Amino acid sequence: MAEVRLVARYVVSAGQEDEVLALLQQLGDAVRTEPGNVEFEIFRHAGDPRRVALLERYASREALDAHRETPHFAELVLGRIMPKLDSRVVELYDMESAG
């Protein structure tokens, strides 16, 4: 099974930046405990504090699917974070193995 990389780009609604970042930290703590998660990192844009990027890596597409079925994804991402965003773009990449 090939690993997959997910890149999520958020534009946070004005005035919601601190709350969303705190929720993302909670999300990251939970995601990092998932057996199929390899990496979960949060980045804030250097020039625009409303722009956030998540870089996630999973052992397989099945592991990513399992992540999307967790209670913390439903509660934090769908229930609490997404309503505080102006936009959300998610890109999924297959990771090619070297050599």
Side-chain angles (χ1 to χ4, degrees):
M1 286 185 247
E3 288 187 356
V4 294
R5 168 79 72 176
L6 184 141
V7 180
R9 292 182 175 87
Y10 295 171
V11 177
V12 180
S13 300
Q16 302 297 314
E17 300 90 348
D18 291 340
E19 185 174 352
V20 168
L21 284 173
L23 291 168
L24 287 171
Q25 291 295 334
Q26 289 178 38
L27 177 67
D29 291 344
V31 171
R32 290 182 195 103
T33 69
E34 295 174 23
N37 178 262
V38 178
E39 179 181 19
F40 184 96
E41 298 295 332
I42 304 163
F43 297 90
R44 198 169 195 176
H45 191 277
D48 183 351
R50 293 181 53 217
R51 291 174 50 195
V52 176
L54 306 180
L55 300 181
E56 305 175 42
R57 196 166 92 205
Y58 295 89
S60 65
R61 285 194 184 239
E62 292 79 14
L64 174 60
D65 292 343
H67 159 70
R68 290 178 170 161
E69 296 297 322
T70 61
H72 52 263
F73 183 86
E75 177 192 346
L76 294 171
V77 176
L78 302 179
R80 298 178 66 192
I81 294 171
M82 283 182 56
K84 297 177 184 334
L85 303 180
D86 288 346
S87 70
R88 175 178 179 255
V89 175
V90 177
E91 301 171 352
L92 185 61
Y93 299 91
D94 290 319
M95 294 185 68
E96 299 295 327
S97 60

